[in-house]
Amino acid sequence: QVQLMESGGGSVQPGGSLRLSCAVSGNHYCLGWFRQAPGAEREGVASKHPGGAIPYYKDSVKGRFTISHDTTKNTLYLQMNNLKPDDTAMYYCAANTGPPCGLGTGEYHYWGQGTQVTVSS
């Protein structure tokens, strides 16, 4: 059983930054960040394959968001810079116990409760 707990959401102005954290417990393989805006489907933002492979990113966040995993703290991070109003959503971390490690919601079986990110002037 994998358990996930997000933190670090909040309200920021456009151009600002936030770092989301996700405490991870239990055996897992891939880790990812997803988001869901009101009235929209949940979508993959970034995912990380174990062993140092290059992460996957949604095109619209490339160059602005960075996913990282501190295995000593069992914590997954999402550093978000140059935030835009379109980034406003509930953000979730997710895990699975085997490949693939893409951005599809169906690839992940364990989910956190989410943390809200609001970008507004």
Side-chain angles (χ1 to χ4, degrees):
Q1 185 78 7
V2 182
Q3 293 185 320
L4 306 160
M5 177 75 73
E6 305 94 338
S7 61
S11 296
V12 296
Q13 294 185 340
S17 297
L18 281 174
R19 188 177 77 160
L20 305 183
S21 300
C22 176
V24 183
S25 63
N27 292 325
H28 60 274
Y29 189 75
C30 308
L31 294 170
W33 286 100
F34 292 76
R35 68 187 183 187
Q36 188 167 18
E41 297 284 323
R42 189 171 297 189
E43 61 181 8
V45 174
S47 66
K48 194 173 188 308
H49 188 286
I54 296 174
Y56 292 114
Y57 291 99
K58 177 179 172 61
D59 284 347
S60 64
V61 308
K62 286 180 180 177
R64 301 189 296 123
F65 291 11
T66 303
I67 187 172
S68 61
H69 184 209
D70 186 335
T71 56
T72 65
K73 297 181 179 179
N74 293 323
T75 302
L76 181 71
Y77 299 102
L78 185 68
Q79 178 66 43
M80 306 185 294
N81 298 327
N82 190 21
L83 282 159
K84 304 176 180 181
D86 284 350
D87 296 318
T88 295
M90 185 71 79
Y91 282 71
Y92 300 88
C93 65
N96 65 19
T97 54
C101 298
L103 297 178
T105 55
E107 299 171 23
Y108 295 82
H109 310 113
Y110 300 96
W111 297 85
Q113 294 298 307
T115 185
Q116 178 68 37
V117 172
T118 303
V119 185
S120 173
S121 55

